[in-house]
Amino acid sequence: MVSLVGTRYLIDWLTAHQIGQPIHEDVEGHVTKAGTPTMGGVAFVIAALAGYLAAHVRSGLVFTRTGLIVMATILGAGIVGALDDWIKVSRERNLGLSSRAKMLGLLVVAIGFVVAMLMLTDVHTTISFTRFDSPGFDIPDWTWAIWAMLLLAGTTNAVNLTDGLDGLAAGSSIFAFITFIVVGFWAFRHPDVYQVEHALDLAVVAAAMLGGVTGFLWWNANPARIFMGDTGALAIGAALACLALTTNTQLLLPVIGFLFVLETVSVMLQVTRFRLTGKRFFRMAPIHHHFELGGWPETTVIIRFWIMAGLATALALGMFYADYIGTGGLD
């Protein structure tokens, strides 16, 4: 409700202050979107924080170090994105922070996350698929720290690349957050199998992000009245990476966020081939623009990509539950 109502008033405030999104001129169909209010991620990040805090008002649900660290990391990534968005709108161009400055900001946030997790929690420093010991590659703390920072950097940028059509990134992330609600709650109910510290609070974090993004999507659905900007994209990416790291499902994350991986790989292939041969794989990257330029209406691309995201998360949950059965938990 905070996101649904708050985004509505944020749109009015941003419009009154002429804080609109510059549009890349290479996509002709998007020229009409120029000037649409951006930085909408502010609304759902604040809403997620409000939801997380409100959930702890009832007795029995306590604040945990892991939950607070993850929420702080989401806020930190959102702040980096907000700086990028503000430079774009204040200078009226489609380029905000330089790539180096943005990565430096995300690096600071990532370092804060790994230091806090290693010093204040009993996080498992393993590379794992569905639980800490599956496959459970045990690595030193410093190696896990580098792994965590790479995962944070990769996921935030993947969501950012996906945020190119009305509601695409927001709608796709909803499926991913639903998955982490299930994973967190399942780990909470089966502590002997998963040994996830503060698993219930992590499910609450995922639920808070789900609520925030859903309220925002009401206004972001095509035709969008507001864009999330880097503020929202980096916050969503940080949330997904942190939830994967804290629930020991890092290797399952590419399945949960398959669409984000697809978008990123399409850019990598496009750039690599163009630099080597001067030719392109796609009409335009990320791949959602390829289908747009091929004649698909924007809504068709969005809905079909949502379907892929939904199928991927269904597969991820199936794999997660199949592994649980393999542990003998049902016995």
Side-chain angles (χ1 to χ4, degrees):
M1 291 302 299
V2 171
S3 181
L4 185 65
V5 177
T7 303
R8 171 68 182 81
Y9 287 100
L10 180 62
I11 292 171
D12 289 343
W13 188 88
L14 293 171
T15 301
H17 290 78
Q18 299 182 335
I19 300 177
Q21 175 70 44
I23 297 296
H24 202 295
E25 296 178 356
D26 290 349
V27 187
E28 293 184 9
H30 292 195
V31 174
T32 57
K33 299 182 182 183
T36 301
T38 188
M39 296 180 71
V42 170
F44 69 74
V45 170
I46 292 176
L49 178 60
Y52 177 76
L53 296 175
H56 291 75
V57 172
R58 67 181 295 269
S59 60
L61 187 60
V62 298
F63 288 104
T64 67
R65 292 178 178 180
T66 307
L68 291 171
I69 291 168
V70 172
M71 283 303 306
T73 306
I74 294 170
L75 290 172
I79 290 171
V80 174
L83 290 173
D84 184 65
D85 288 333
W86 181 254
I87 292 174
K88 289 178 184 177
V89 297
S90 61
R91 297 183 182 179
E92 298 183 353
R93 62 177 190 173
N94 201 42
L95 297 174
L97 290 171
S98 66
S99 298
R100 181 176 298 179
K102 186 186 296 186
M103 290 307 298
L104 180 61
L106 290 173
L107 178 62
V108 171
V109 173
I111 290 174
F113 169 77
V114 297
V115 170
M117 289 299 299
L118 291 172
M119 293 185 65
L120 302 177
T121 75
D122 294 324
V123 65
H124 288 285
T125 55
T126 59
I127 297 178
S128 45
F129 185 62
T130 52
R131 46 196 163 82
F132 76 99
D133 56 353
S134 172
F137 298 126
D138 200 5
I139 54 178
D141 287 358
W142 68 268
T143 309
W144 184 87
I146 294 174
W147 164 244
M149 288 188 284
L150 289 174
L151 197 65
L152 271 160
T155 309
T156 51
N157 280 282
V159 177
N160 202 16
L161 289 172
T162 307
D163 182 32
L165 300 180
D166 296 350
L168 179 58
S172 302
S173 68
I174 284 174
F175 292 105
F177 287 126
I178 290 173
T179 304
F180 279 116
I181 293 172
V182 175
V183 168
F185 188 73
W186 196 259
F188 164 70
R189 291 300 301 270
H190 303 89
D192 293 339
V193 175
Y194 295 99
Q195 298 183 26
V196 175
E197 190 176 40
H198 311 139
L200 182 59
D201 210 24
L202 292 173
V204 172
V205 171
M209 285 299 293
L210 169 64
V213 173
T214 302
F216 170 78
L217 183 60
W218 180 274
W219 305 103
N220 182 235
N222 185 273
R225 294 188 57 185
I226 189 170
F227 299 141
M228 69 169 66
D230 280 25
T231 309
L234 299 188
I236 289 174
L240 295 177
C242 289
L243 288 169
L245 287 161
T246 51
T247 59
N248 304 311
T249 54
Q250 307 101 306
L251 298 182
L252 188 62
L253 181 60
V255 183
I256 297 172
F258 169 76
L259 183 63
F260 304 126
V261 175
L262 176 65
E263 297 275 10
T264 304
V265 171
S266 72
V267 173
M268 294 170 65
L269 290 174
Q270 185 87 322
V271 172
T272 301
R273 189 182 187 195
F274 186 77
R275 288 181 175 177
L276 293 176
T277 67
K279 298 180 180 179
R280 295 177 171 85
F281 270 114
F282 310 104
R283 299 180 184 92
M284 185 177 178
I287 196 170
H288 55 257
H289 290 315
H290 169 81
F291 291 106
E292 268 197 297
L293 296 177
W296 287 18
E298 182 174 353
T299 51
T300 300
V301 179
I302 295 166
I303 292 173
R304 288 178 177 172
F305 276 40
W306 280 353
I307 292 172
M308 284 195 292
L311 291 173
T313 54
L315 175 62
L317 282 174
M319 297 168 77
F320 181 80
Y321 186 63
D323 175 74
Y324 171 74
I325 294 175
T327 66
L330 289 180
D331 300 333

